[in-house]
Amino acid sequence: MMLPMPKEVPVRLRDEVFRRMTHDDVSLAVRHDDLIIKLGAQLLSKFQDSENHYNYVGQKLREMGRLLLQMRSIRPGINCLSETIDPQVFDDVVRAVNNIAGLDESSGKYKTPSLALKVGHSLKKCARILMADALKKMDTSQKEKAEQFGELCSIEWAEKVSTGALKTLYAAKRNRPTIIPLSSDIQKVHKTIQGQVQESMAHITAGSVSREDFSKLGQAMLAQTVLFNRKRSGEVERMTVENYKKRTGEVNKDVLQGLNKLEKELCKKLSRVEIPGKRGRTVPVVLTKGMKEALDVLADENVRQDAGVLESNMYLFARPGCTTPYRGCDAVRKCAQSSGAEHPENITSTQLRKHVATMSQILCLKDNELDVLATFMGHNIQVHREFYRLPENTLQVAKIAKILLLMEKGQMSECSGMSLDSINVNLNESCEEDDAPDGDVQEDDQSSRQPSDERDGTKLSKSHGIGKRSRELSDESDGPCGTMKPSRSHPVAKRSKAERITWTTAQQHAVDTFFKTNYRTFKVPGKVECIECQEKYPVLAKLPWTKIKYRVYNIIKQKKLNSH
């Protein structure tokens, strides 16, 4: 360990990576291998503007150090990693990678499958580094070895390593329960954070600035910013004071005119901060008025100086006495554990991002709206759909099962051109067509009827101008499905079958398409809207407008019951 490092080691690699490494055989092998040092320098060159990737670089270098030690045990004549970039020792390299990844040859499963994949990527980078050096030195022998080793990797690496590692990863993810934070737990965490912020702000604004209060306020605001924006904790924690002071609250006037009243108010009350994100992207952070007040305290120079924050610490969520910020994952975990949440282990920045991406499926967002959401989250739409928007089993059962049931009954042709939300499937075929539990009218049997409950009819007549109902129903029910029998004192309550209307698939689709917004907002349409629907869709011209109204009313009522 006391041996001096080679002079070729870059200063940044030596100071930021090697000095933080655990001193063991692996780090000793890494420090004195020219190819591993060049790999580290190449990785650091990608992060010129960042000071927080030394852990990542150190992990990659330790992986190659473990591979080098394993190769020395298999082939004692090997001294450095560059000697393993040789087509003649390719099979030994594969065996060494399988050994450090924990391959069980009997089952073909890896103990650490991700390690095998990571080492494979690093080996290909090392081969390219050797090829570049050979080109500079005009060394044809080394160039041919590096090229042939790269060709062998592209030909045999997938079959010998990658395929088995990926199968192990997929098998571990299969049938794993979807972990999404509970909304009640998130609310508890928010309340806990607000309490900590109010307590710390009261002490600081009173003039008694202490390191402890500044630390509590910084960690609480860091957790709140991550939770509110559903951002990666590493991105938010590296927000600088300069980034925060350059925040903008101005909105383009032309764009503002196209927004509704609520959206205009939000634009006035919220501000936006742009910070560097993953892969060089610029990601926005939205701040409320209360959050800005607390962050202004954290950015105040006098407060930072009284709290013991160093001048060289440029981060907004600065750690007093050093040049680094607080870790976002630690701040979120600390607040979750102290909030009394039912499952605090599920409240992490990654799970929160998956939570908002998964729940957005219920909103039926358009493609351009999905693009806006994905851009705000800091990734492209493909990553959003493949990794963050989890295949929620509830949505699969609720929506895709409709298609399976229709195919089983041979009714797929009747629903051509319809969306999943507008498809209705009759699950209770044992009940007769007239049956409707508790006086509620169902649309699954493709028949539209007026609501048979007296109280519902009274509400409709008062709020929608339909007129007072001319019949009352008794409280007794008849039949297994609970059909309400009309009172004998009102003979007009008994309706003949001639008054009932059988809805066609085209008529259902027309009504559901026109009143799609009403279904979401639970708003029963009036006469004017129903007539507009008839004028737009000729298939509804022969129907009374009240039939359209009652169909929408019944579907809205059923959605309300399902939501509870």
Side-chain angles (χ1 to χ4, degrees):
M1 294 300 177
M2 296 178 65
L3 292 175
M5 282 183 286
K7 296 181 180 179
E8 295 80 10
V9 179
V11 177
R12 190 181 176 195
L13 183 65
R14 181 180 67 245
D15 295 341
E16 296 182 358
V17 179
F18 287 165
R19 288 185 179 179
R20 290 180 169 90
M21 275 190 178
T22 304
H23 296 288
D24 54 7
D25 294 342
V26 177
S27 64
L28 183 62
V30 169
R31 291 165 183 261
H32 296 87
D33 190 274
D34 293 338
L35 183 56
I36 297 180
I37 291 173
K38 291 178 181 178
L39 175 63
Q42 187 183 83
L43 291 175
L44 276 181
S45 64
K46 294 183 178 180
F47 313 122
Q48 291 290 344
D49 300 332
S50 176
E51 299 180 1
N52 297 277
H53 289 81
Y54 48 81
N55 289 330
Y56 170 78
V57 176
Q59 177 188 355
K60 292 297 179 184
L61 299 187
R62 288 187 66 87
E63 290 170 0
M64 302 312 295
R66 292 173 60 185
L67 176 64
L68 177 59
L69 294 180
Q70 186 66 31
M71 284 296 297
R72 288 175 180 175
S73 64
I74 295 176
R75 295 178 69 98
I78 289 180
N79 297 317
C80 57
L81 187 64
S82 59
E83 296 179 0
T84 63
I85 310 300
D86 190 336
Q88 296 181 354
V89 298
F90 179 79
D91 293 334
D92 292 331
V93 172
V94 171
R95 187 167 57 155
V97 172
N98 290 334
N99 289 342
I100 63 176
L103 173 64
D104 185 358
E105 296 183 357
S106 59
S107 61
K109 295 181 178 180
Y110 287 83
K111 184 178 180 181
T112 315
S114 59
L115 179 60
L117 298 174
K118 293 175 182 178
V119 172
H121 294 311
S122 298
L123 272 175
K124 294 175 183 178
K125 290 181 180 179
C126 291
R128 290 193 291 269
I129 292 173
L130 276 183
M131 190 182 304
D133 289 343
L135 291 174
K136 294 175 182 178
K137 298 176 182 178
M138 302 296 291
D139 189 345
T140 56
S141 175
Q142 181 177 334
K143 176 178 176 294
E144 290 179 359
K145 288 183 179 180
E147 286 181 346
Q148 292 172 2
F149 186 87
E151 291 179 2
L152 280 176
C153 287
S154 61
I155 295 172
E156 297 187 0
W157 191 267
E159 288 77 9
K160 293 185 176 181
V161 179
S162 299
T163 301
L166 290 173
K167 285 183 178 179
T168 305
L169 284 175
Y170 295 151
K173 293 180 180 179
R174 193 175 299 119
N175 288 328
R176 179 186 297 176
T178 302
I179 301 175
I180 296 180
L182 298 176
S183 299
S184 58
D185 288 349
I186 297 176
Q187 293 176 358
K188 291 179 181 178
V189 177
H190 275 296
K191 291 181 180 179
T192 302
I193 292 174
Q194 290 175 0
Q196 294 180 4
V197 171
Q198 293 175 359
E199 180 182 358
S200 302
M201 285 285 290
H203 293 164
I204 294 176
T205 53
S208 58
V209 180
S210 64
R211 177 176 294 191
E212 182 180 359
D213 290 330
F214 186 88
S215 176
K216 287 183 179 179
L217 181 61
Q219 294 183 69
M221 287 308 304
L222 175 57
Q224 186 177 19
T225 308
V226 172
L227 261 66
F228 182 76
N229 288 271
R230 301 300 198 268
K231 293 295 181 184
R232 298 181 182 94
S233 58
E235 295 174 351
V236 178
E237 72 185 29
R238 291 191 290 272
M239 183 190 302
T240 63
V241 177
E242 184 181 0
N243 294 144
Y244 176 70
K245 290 182 177 180
K246 290 182 179 179
R247 67 186 184 277
T248 58
E250 299 180 358
V251 183
N252 188 291
K253 294 182 179 179
D254 295 334
V255 176
L256 192 64
Q257 292 178 356
L259 304 179
N260 58 35
K261 185 177 180 181
L262 174 61
E263 294 169 344
K264 291 179 181 178
E265 290 295 324
L266 290 176
C267 290
K268 293 178 181 179
K269 295 183 178 181
L270 300 178
S271 60
R272 182 171 173 270
V273 179
E274 291 185 346
I275 60 175
K278 194 175 180 180
R279 296 183 179 276
R281 299 188 183 98
T282 299
V283 294
V285 174
V286 177
L287 303 175
T288 62
K289 184 178 180 181
M291 295 169 65
K292 286 187 292 182
E293 293 177 356
L295 293 177
D296 287 339
V297 174
L298 294 176
D300 188 87
E301 295 181 0
N302 296 328
V303 175
R304 292 169 67 91
Q305 185 177 2
D306 295 340
V309 178
L310 303 179
E311 294 183 1
S312 57
N313 194 330
M314 59 182 178
Y315 299 104
L316 179 63
F317 306 102
R319 193 190 300 268
C322 57
T323 59
T324 58
Y326 285 104
R327 296 185 62 192
C329 57
D330 294 339
V332 173
R333 180 170 58 252
K334 184 178 179 180
C335 293
Q337 291 175 351
S338 61
S339 65
E342 185 178 354
H343 297 287
E345 68 279 1
N346 295 342
I347 302 179
T348 62
S349 62
T350 302
Q351 298 301 333
L352 289 169
R353 290 166 62 78
K354 291 182 178 180
H355 176 255
V356 67
T358 301
M359 298 306 293
S360 65
Q361 298 177 82
I362 302 175
L363 301 178
C364 298
L365 301 179
K366 299 177 182 178
D367 290 341
N368 61 322
E369 294 171 335
L370 280 175
D371 290 336
V372 173
L373 177 61
T375 303
F376 178 80
M377 299 294 289
H379 48 245
N380 56 36
I381 190 63
Q382 187 64 31
V383 173
H384 174 84
R385 289 171 175 166
E386 186 173 354
F387 295 101
Y388 284 91
R389 198 170 67 173
L390 301 178
E392 178 63 27
N393 50 6
T394 304
L395 294 176
Q396 287 183 347
V397 173
K399 295 184 179 294
I400 305 302
K402 292 182 181 180
I403 299 177
L404 303 179
L405 290 172
L406 289 174
M407 294 177 66
E408 183 182 18
K409 297 177 181 180
Q411 299 176 354
M412 281 295 295
S413 59
E414 300 178 4
C415 300
S416 60
M418 298 175 63
S419 62
L420 288 176
D421 292 332
S422 60
I423 294 176
N424 291 318
V425 181
N426 186 11
L427 299 179
N428 194 5
E429 295 181 344
S430 60
C431 294
E432 297 180 359
E433 182 178 342
D434 296 339
D435 294 337
D438 298 328
D440 194 12
V441 179
Q442 303 293 333
E443 290 295 334
D444 292 348
D445 55 358
Q446 295 185 354
S447 63
S448 176
R449 299 167 53 190
Q450 295 183 1
S452 56
D453 185 73
E454 181 183 11
R455 290 172 296 178
D456 294 340
T458 305
K459 292 179 181 178
L460 280 174
S461 63
K462 291 181 179 180
S463 58
H464 305 293
I466 298 177
K468 187 175 181 180
R469 306 197 55 182
S470 60
R471 60 190 180 93
E472 296 178 358
L473 301 181
S474 65
D475 295 333
E476 300 177 357
S477 61
D478 182 70
C481 295
T483 305
M484 303 302 296
K485 297 178 67 175
S487 173
R488 295 184 179 180
S489 60
H490 295 77
V492 294
K494 185 175 181 180
R495 303 175 59 195
S496 61
K497 292 186 178 179
E499 297 179 7
R500 298 171 190 154
I501 295 177
T502 301
W503 288 78
T504 64
T505 304
Q507 290 173 338
Q508 287 182 338
H509 180 58
V511 174
D512 294 341
T513 302
F514 189 85
F515 295 105
K516 192 173 184 180
T517 304
N518 296 65
Y519 292 159
R520 293 181 183 176
T521 58
F522 297 146
K523 181 180 178 182
V524 180
K527 179 178 179 180
V528 177
E529 295 176 282
C530 296
I531 293 176
E532 289 180 358
C533 181
Q534 287 180 311
E535 293 176 352
K536 184 174 182 180
Y537 297 97
V539 293
L540 304 173
K542 296 182 180 180
L543 293 178
W545 68 269
T546 53
K547 299 295 182 182
I548 300 174
K549 180 187 186 76
Y550 282 118
R551 171 177 171 79
V552 178
Y553 165 78
N554 291 327
I555 293 179
I556 290 175
K557 188 174 182 180
Q558 188 63 36
K559 285 181 176 290
K560 287 183 178 180
L561 293 175
N562 294 337
S563 63
H564 294 304

